[in-house]
Amino acid sequence: FDILKKFPVKGDFLTVSQRVYKNSSSLYLNLMTEFGAKKGFETIEIRVQKESVAKAPLSVEMLFAYLDLVAGPHNLYHRDYVSKIIAPLVHNVFYYMSNIPDEELRNVNREKLESALVKIEQLMRRVNTAKTKGEQAIKLKIGVSLSLLRADQLEKRIQAIRLIAETCKTAKANQEMFSQAFGPTANDRAIFSTTLHVTQILREIYGNKS
């Protein structure tokens, strides 16, 4: 049941755009706007900063819970809010996911991880340009894979290799798409290798002599 109220609740600035989508609940829009006005999203952004995590460790389960909340209205955020809150939040989540603490690696559930990656990519679409969002998504997945390769459990390492294989396919498809759209570049192969951190991946799998 949708309670119709005039949109929006106002804070320092709008949390969500006034472009109300056809299937959007006005109650949901008001709740998200009020949550932002009470600095709920800002509090989450501060909590995921690497300085905050260094002082008070953040569990991967808690990070995933934050992502569920923040990514829900990703299409509705006002662009000013994206610049002020969502962009730095994505940056810090990116850093955390690429450096998952060793004690948290055992808690990384495959299904939840895949869901979290989708949510981060949804937020990235609001932050990055069309040309860079694909590259950033690839870097994120490779960063997560490198974290998983450090795990003691064989299951996690296998999961990392599968993710790397999937990401390589995506990277190749993106490379071909960008070459068609923007023209081939002389250093395509170098960009491809750099983005995928090939040397670092090989060292994690085979050791420093690789």
Side-chain angles (χ1 to χ4, degrees), residues 64-77:
F64 289 173
Y66 286 151
L67 283 172
D68 284 338
L69 177 60
V70 176
H74 69 277
N75 281 330
L76 300 173
Y77 289 124

Side-chain angles (χ1 to χ4, degrees), residues 10 14 28 47 57 79-80 83 91 101 105-106 116-118 124-126 144 149-150 156 159 162 175 177 206 208-209:
K10 291 186 177 180
L14 297 183
Y28 178 72
R47 182 64 186 94
R79 62 185 178 184
D80 292 339
S83 299
H91 172 78
L105 284 171
R106 65 176 64 89
L117 290 174
V118 169
M124 280 181 171
R125 292 190 194 109
R126 297 300 315 276
V144 172
L149 282 172
R150 296 198 312 268
K156 303 300 182 189
Q159 183 180 350
R162 286 175 176 167
Q175 185 186 29
M177 180 182 69
Y206 297 111
N208 291 330
K209 293 184 178 180

Side-chain angles (χ1 to χ4, degrees), residues 1-127:
F1 180 73
D2 192 9
I3 301 173
L4 297 177
K5 293 172 68 178
K6 287 188 177 181
F7 177 85
V9 175
K10 291 186 177 180
D12 295 334
F13 50 87
L14 297 183
T15 303
V16 295
S17 168
Q18 293 191 48
R19 296 172 299 160
V20 181
Y21 290 87
K22 183 178 179 180
N23 296 322
S24 296
S25 159
S26 58
L27 174 60
Y28 178 72
L29 293 173
N30 275 273
L31 287 172
M32 289 297 99
T33 305
E34 188 169 2
F35 185 73
K38 293 182 183 296
K39 301 189 182 299
F41 293 113
E42 288 184 53
T43 301
I44 292 175
E45 192 277 319
I46 292 170
R47 182 64 186 94
V48 301
Q49 290 176 6
K50 56 184 177 181
E51 295 82 5
S52 297
V53 175
K55 292 178 182 177
L58 176 66
S59 72
V60 71
E61 290 287 343
M62 196 69 245
L63 180 73
F64 289 173
Y66 286 151
L67 283 172
D68 284 338
L69 177 60
V70 176
H74 69 277
N75 281 330
L76 300 173
Y77 289 124
H78 191 284
R79 62 185 178 184
D80 292 339
Y81 208 74
V82 169
S83 299
K84 183 175 181 179
I85 304 298
I86 305 304
L89 186 147
V90 168
H91 172 78
N92 284 296
V93 169
F94 192 112
Y95 179 84
Y96 181 100
M97 295 295 287
S98 299
N99 299 274
I100 300 173
D102 292 344
E103 62 273 16
E104 288 295 326
L105 284 171
R106 65 176 64 89
N107 298 322
V108 178
N109 174 277
R110 189 186 70 176
E111 289 75 18
K112 289 184 179 180
L113 175 61
E114 290 174 353
S115 176
L117 290 174
V118 169
K119 291 179 173 65
I120 298 171
E121 287 187 51
Q122 289 172 338
L123 293 170
M124 280 181 171
R125 292 190 194 109
R126 297 300 315 276
V127 173

